[in-house]
Amino acid sequence: MSASEPRRLLWAAVTACLGVLLATAACTTLPGSDDLSDGERAYREGRYTDAELIWLEALAESEGGAGDDLRLAQSLRMLANLYVRQRRLDAARPLLERWLELRENAPIRDDAELAEVLDALAGIHLVQGDFEQAAAIYERSAAVRAGDDALDNVAIAESLERLAAAYDAQGLRSQAQPLYERAIQIRERASGSDDPGLAHSLHGLGFLYHRGGRYPEAEALYQRALEMLDTEKAETDGFLASVLTHLGSLYRVMGQYDEALIHLTRARGLRAEQLGPHDVETAATANEIAAVWANQRRLDEAEELHRWILGIRRQEFGEESIPVAATYNNLGLVAQYRRDYDQAEGLFQRALQIRRDRQGPVHRDVAALYNNLGVLYKLQGEINDAEAAHRNALEIQEAVLGPEHPELSMTLHNLADVHVFQGRLDDAALLLERAVSLKERAYGKDHRYVADSLVVLGALRTDQGEQQAAEDAFVRALGIWETSPPDDEVRRAETLANLALIESGRGNLGEAVPLYTQAIEIYERELGPRNPSVLRARNHLASVHAARRDYAAAIETYAHTVSAIEAHYGSADPALAQPLVGLATAHLAIGGYSVAVPLYERAIALFGDDADPRALAYALGGLADCQLETGRLEEASGSYQHAVALLADRDDVDPRELGALQGNLAAIHRVSGRYAEAESLYTSALALLEAAYGPNHEVVARLHHERARNWVLLGRADRASDAYAQAVAIRESTPGPDHPMLAQTLDDYGVLQLQESRVAQAEALLLRAVSIYERAGTPDPTALGRSLHHLGAAYIAQQRRPEAERALARSVGLLEAHLAKGDPSLEGARNTWNALNETRTPETYPASPAP
């Protein structure tokens, strides 16, 4: 909505006033007035050149003394009226000013005729942009009407409306609003809803509310005016087209595009019929239609119509005019939506230059251009420039519109978006909360514009760790979109994916699956199967399936992605690398090493030299895991070392990933007999994992346990005992005192104590391990058998033969039932049993059969 709109609204008032003067003059018979009547006749027949010549001659005769002052005044009015009709305002204004000069010197009281000429002259000043002078003249006209007892109330209402329009043109909405409201009250009291001028009053106040951001109130007034005009069948009235245009523009601002096009299309048809298809007013309505098409991403249609409008405006107003600047801005938005950022920037900058030159640096339309430039700069990655542009826009809007106007909401939203990118989350949150509040007040709590800001606020809250606040924002936005869909469906997909991420992070895996599924369907439809957002959502969905131990679903999800990319882009496309890694990892989880290895190897080859080191390291780690499980220790060591080298000394590395890789490499070194190298890696891995998880995490406990085994092999029983004790302390609290992992550590720790001849301590540890295994819901028979073997050895060391026999008998029985012949654990237990039998004294202990 441009600031020149009030001038267009007042044009009808200017011509109406002079039309009244013409009709008044025609009812008066004056000496020598035949030439005036001839001029009027020519005027009414549309012979304007003839009318002008006749009235100029009459004016010359009056100036020469051939007529009296009344004839001179009448000639001035007639000729001024003609010039106004022809939009020759510079010619009309001095004639009206001369008429007023004559009137000032005449002994006639102020009356309706004076007020009408004052209104006409004020209207000219308004159309020409001299708002203060227009308001001053309208104030005098209103005083004349208020002091004339012969005037009816409707005439006073008209004067108040014109003065209100002049105030509005100066941005003095607080002064204009009570005048419109008073005019409406006068008209309703005088004639009720039958007053044809009431629609004008309603429309004027509605337009004031519209520009002031009071959209629901503006809509109600526009609709009421429209109902009155439709009732009067005012199809031929240009005012009806104005109401339709402004109502359609309001619906565009509110995002109700279907309703906007209904009213704007009708208005364009009326204006084309009344004024011609190429008239500037017809083009103004077409401009609103093109803006709606651009918002609907009907970009070809929008661009074609805007370029047609540009031709009309250049011809009518000139290249350096405000209407031309408005069209450049609109074409810039179309180019931006097409991602033609260089063209968009050139158009925005051209529009900004014109507006700053014509409207000054502090104007709402200048602010709108800064806002558009800020969005463009962010899309181009020029974050500092984007912030500066949005700050300029916000400063101007707060100065011109005040802090509560809804136009600020988009600027606040955009500036917050920049701050999120900069990591300034607290600043962004404050701006977004203010934007949401403004949008709720202007558009309603369930408007999709509110949802647009809620989803950004939700993403921000996620980054701040405020998961509940983030979920509330996402759920509310999705609820709004159920009845008021977003302009871009990708936003819905992003919100679904973000909500799924929150649910999976909370362990609500079953709730995350349908959310990811819906997001993927939208992403693929809108962006295609290769888009990074699609791949990311599919990877997350597959990881949720894997976390649920639904490896079949995880494999199916990854395989679908691989097939889709291969079908569209071929088998050598680098985008295949990530889903191939996911597919391999799912097979690794179910022991499908022979399937996983070639998938990892293919992904590593596709990553290439420019790959993200972290992604490549993850793939190498998975490959190394497979090689380790299949006994290919040397190859596994090489893969782990490559992965560690990729991540070492990087600032952006995830310490959990690097720590896990170093821990696995340490395990290979330990198994390979490279104990010193293993110890160095265990030290580094523990430092990383303790920093990432905290000192009391299960991952840390596992590494302490493995490190203790390495200390045993290095002959450092004291260090091994300390490491086992740390692992036990952690595992007693997490995963808990009844977990088999604690039993495993207790068992190994007990064996070490037994080797160090601390038999009582060994017995206590081993008894706890056996008890945990026995209490398990689904006990591990081989783990229980090993612990019973070790407990039996502890009893032997204490010469407690009966307890030793019972423990060893159970141990051998369990291990023989579940392990293959020749298994080291089984053979160890049998050897201990046999050694015990060899020391038997027949007199004391009768022979026992082998278990």
Side-chain angles (χ1 to χ4, degrees):
M1 190 75 62
S2 72
S4 62
E5 188 65 31
R7 283 176 270 170
R8 290 207 294 270
L9 290 176
L10 263 292
W11 185 267
V14 179
T15 55
C17 290
L18 289 172
V20 170
L21 294 180
L22 179 62
T24 302
C27 297
T28 305
T29 302
L30 297 172
S33 62
D34 290 344
D35 49 354
L36 295 177
S37 298
D38 290 341
E40 180 189 348
R41 190 177 303 109
Y43 174 85
R44 294 188 183 282
E45 292 174 358
R47 294 183 288 112
Y48 296 143
T49 301
D50 292 342
E52 181 179 7
L53 291 173
I54 293 170
W55 284 335
L56 282 172
E57 183 179 354
L59 181 60
E61 292 177 358
S62 300
E63 293 277 15
D68 54 22
D69 285 346
L70 289 177
R71 188 168 179 233
L72 175 58
Q74 191 174 5
S75 300
L76 291 168
R77 289 203 315 273
M78 295 296 190
L79 197 54
N81 179 70
L82 173 64
Y83 290 155
V84 169
R85 295 287 184 180
Q86 294 177 319
R87 301 196 177 186
R88 296 163 61 185
L89 301 186
D90 287 338
R93 188 172 70 180
L95 299 176
L96 292 173
E97 289 171 345
R98 177 84 184 281
W99 186 94
L100 285 174
E101 184 181 350
L102 291 173
R103 180 59 182 264
E104 295 290 349
N105 297 323
I108 304 174
R109 68 184 297 271
D110 292 346
D111 58 9
E113 186 179 25
L114 173 61
E116 288 156 0
V117 174
L118 287 168
D119 284 344
L121 183 58
I124 290 174
H125 281 289
L126 187 66
V127 172
Q128 292 182 327
D130 189 355
F131 303 140
E132 288 190 29
Q133 185 64 22
I137 298 173
Y138 276 133
E139 287 169 354
R140 183 182 173 195
S141 172
V144 169
R145 293 185 187 276
D148 191 341
D149 297 335
L151 290 177
D152 59 24
N153 289 331
V154 171
I156 297 174
E158 290 173 350
S159 189
L160 292 171
E161 291 158 3
R162 292 163 189 162
L163 179 56
Y167 285 151
D168 185 21
Q170 297 178 79
L172 304 174
R173 288 192 298 273
S174 61
Q175 293 174 243
Q177 179 181 331
L179 298 178
Y180 277 127
E181 292 171 344
R182 184 179 165 203
I184 290 172
Q185 293 172 352
I186 291 172
R187 289 185 182 277
E188 287 178 331
R189 281 200 305 267
S191 307
S193 59
D194 295 331
D195 182 358
L198 180 57
H200 288 263
S201 299
L202 295 167
H203 173 252
L205 184 58
F207 184 72
L208 190 73
Y209 286 160
H210 184 167
R211 285 170 53 78
R214 298 166 63 175
Y215 300 143
E217 296 165 277
E219 180 188 7
L221 291 166
Y222 283 154
Q223 286 286 11
R224 188 177 166 196
L226 185 60
E227 290 170 5
M228 295 180 66
L229 293 171
D230 278 344
T231 301
E232 295 177 6
K233 306 295 182 185
E235 291 291 329
T236 60
D237 186 351
F239 176 60
L240 173 60
S242 294
V243 176
L244 289 166
T245 297
H246 293 142
L247 181 56
S249 173
L250 177 65
Y251 282 139
R252 176 184 64 77
V253 170
M254 296 175 70
Q256 298 172 224
Y257 300 136
D258 291 340
E259 293 92 335
L261 287 177
I262 290 171
H263 293 87
L264 292 170
T265 302
R266 183 182 172 196
R268 185 183 183 189
L270 288 172
R271 283 184 164 170
E273 181 179 349
Q274 296 158 11
L275 306 173
H278 299 281
D279 186 85
V280 291
E281 300 297 333
T282 307
T285 302
N287 180 67
E288 291 290 334
I289 293 173
V292 173
W293 286 347
N295 288 334
Q296 293 177 319
R297 299 307 188 264
R298 296 164 59 180
L299 301 182
D300 290 343
E301 296 168 271
E303 181 178 13
E304 182 181 359
L305 188 51
H306 277 313
R307 292 202 177 279
W308 175 81
I309 294 165
L310 181 61
I312 292 174
R313 289 180 167 178
R314 276 175 170 163
Q315 182 176 356
E316 181 71 21
F317 302 110
E319 175 64 23
E320 301 298 319
S321 64
I322 292 172
V324 166
T327 304
Y328 281 142
N329 174 68
N330 294 337
L331 285 168
L333 289 171
V334 172
Q336 178 180 301
Y337 297 152
R338 282 207 174 104
R339 297 182 172 85
D340 188 347
Y341 298 143
D342 290 340
Q343 183 185 18
E345 183 174 3
L347 289 163
F348 287 149
Q349 290 288 5
R350 180 73 180 110
L352 180 61
Q353 177 187 354
I354 294 172
R355 286 201 179 278
R356 283 176 60 91
D357 290 344
R358 298 298 300 275
Q359 296 172 291
V362 182
H363 193 280
R364 69 191 300 175
D365 294 337
V366 173
L369 274 162
Y370 277 126
N371 197 26
N372 291 342
L373 279 167
V375 173
L376 180 65
Y377 290 147
K378 181 177 181 295
L379 291 171
Q380 293 174 308
E382 300 170 6
I383 302 303
N384 291 336
D385 290 341
E387 180 185 1
H390 288 315
R391 287 201 177 280
N392 281 341
L394 187 60
E395 182 179 346
I396 294 170
Q397 288 172 333
E398 288 181 329
V400 174
L401 303 174
E404 304 299 322
H405 197 285
E407 281 184 29
L408 274 71
S409 63
M410 187 54 66
T411 307
L412 292 165
H413 176 111
N414 292 335
L415 182 56
D417 209 18
V418 170
H419 284 336
V420 170
F421 193 91
Q422 294 170 323
R424 298 165 58 182
L425 303 186
D426 291 340
D427 292 339
L430 293 174
L431 294 171
L432 282 170
E433 288 170 349
R434 185 179 168 195
V436 168
S437 177
L438 289 177
K439 288 181 177 183
E440 287 177 336
R441 193 157 52 243
Y443 307 109
K445 292 183 179 294
D446 296 325
H447 196 282
R448 68 170 178 272
Y449 291 170
V450 176
D452 290 343
S453 291
L454 284 171
V455 295
V456 179
L457 184 59
L460 185 153
R461 295 303 188 199
T462 302
D463 289 342
Q464 291 178 312
E466 299 180 22
Q467 303 301 322
Q468 187 58 55
E471 181 181 9
D472 292 343
F474 290 143
V475 169
R476 185 179 166 201
L478 289 168
I480 291 171
W481 285 336
E482 286 298 316
T483 56
S484 181
D487 292 339
D488 185 353
E489 279 295 311
V490 172
R491 291 180 185 171
R492 192 198 302 267
E494 290 170 346
T495 305
L496 288 164
N498 284 332
L499 187 57
L501 194 62
I502 290 175
E503 295 297 347
S504 61
R506 289 175 168 172
N508 301 327
L509 304 180
E511 297 178 30
V513 169
L515 294 170
Y516 275 130
T517 302
Q518 292 178 63
I520 290 166
E521 290 174 357
I522 298 171
Y523 276 140
E524 288 196 330
R525 183 174 65 248
E526 299 292 324
L527 304 175
R530 189 180 185 272
N531 186 272
S533 295
V534 178
L535 299 179
R536 183 167 52 251
R538 281 201 173 277
N539 284 340
H540 288 161
L541 174 59
S543 68
V544 169
H545 285 316
R548 301 178 75 195
R549 301 187 183 278
D550 189 352
Y551 295 113
I555 289 170
E556 181 183 0
T557 302
Y558 283 125
H560 180 280
T561 306
V562 170
S563 298
I565 295 175
E566 285 180 331
H568 283 79
Y569 307 105
S571 59
D573 192 278
L576 282 165
Q578 283 286 12
L580 283 170
V581 170
L583 183 58
T585 303
H587 281 292
L588 170 62
I590 59 175
Y593 309 123
S594 62
V595 178
V597 167
L599 292 170
Y600 279 127
E601 291 174 339
R602 184 182 170 194
I604 290 168
L606 285 171
F607 273 125
D609 297 335
D610 298 328
D612 180 354
R614 293 168 297 179
L616 180 55
Y618 183 88
L620 286 163
L623 176 62
D625 291 344
C626 293
Q627 293 165 335
L628 179 63
E629 293 293 340
T630 53
R632 297 156 59 184
L633 297 186
E634 186 173 348
E635 294 175 70
S637 178
S639 297
Y640 280 134
Q641 286 176 345
H642 188 184
V644 168
L646 285 169
L647 298 181
D649 301 323
R650 288 183 63 91
D651 294 334
D652 59 347
V653 68
D654 186 339
R656 296 170 299 179
E657 294 179 19
L658 182 56
L661 288 169
Q662 289 180 335
N664 291 342
L665 182 57
I668 291 179
H669 286 339
R670 175 171 56 82
V671 173
S672 303
R674 299 161 64 179
Y675 307 135
E677 294 174 70
E679 168 53 26
S680 176
L681 286 166
Y682 279 131
T683 300
S684 177
L686 269 170
L688 289 168
L689 296 176
E690 284 184 333
Y693 292 108
N696 298 315
H697 195 276
E698 165 53 30
V699 170
V700 176
R702 179 177 61 80
L703 214 58
H704 278 305
H705 187 149
E706 291 185 10
R707 191 185 192 191
R709 289 176 173 176
N710 196 60
W711 281 122
V712 170
L713 295 170
L714 282 167
R716 296 294 305 274
D718 56 334
R719 302 295 298 271
S721 181
D722 290 342
Y724 277 132
Q726 287 178 289
V728 168
I730 295 171
R731 284 181 163 170
E732 281 178 332
S733 59
T734 177
D738 296 319
H739 200 279
M741 286 191 294
L742 173 60
Q744 182 185 11
T745 304
L746 291 167
D747 182 78
D748 282 358
Y749 192 12
V751 170
L752 174 63
Q753 297 285 45
L754 186 60
Q755 291 171 348
E756 294 297 306
S757 300
R758 292 192 283 271
V759 181
Q761 293 93 321
E763 179 189 359
L765 293 167
L766 293 167
L767 280 171
R768 283 187 66 192
V770 169
S771 176
I772 291 170
Y773 284 134
E774 288 178 331
R775 292 198 308 271
T778 54
D780 181 348
T782 57
L784 176 58
R786 292 188 188 98
S787 288
L788 285 166
H789 171 207
H790 300 148
L791 180 60
Y795 287 143
I796 290 173
Q798 298 176 77
Q799 299 183 0
R800 294 162 61 183
R801 190 178 189 94
E803 293 99 318
E805 286 187 344
R806 286 193 296 271
L808 290 171
R810 286 185 67 197
S811 171
V812 172
L814 286 167
L815 295 176
E816 282 188 335
H818 293 90
L819 295 178
K821 186 176 182 180
D823 184 275
S825 294
L826 172 60
E827 292 305 311
R830 289 189 65 87
N831 290 338
T832 304
W833 170 262
N834 291 333
L836 179 64
N837 277 334
E838 290 174 0
T839 63
R840 178 182 302 279
T841 303
E843 296 81 7
T844 308
Y845 301 106
S848 299

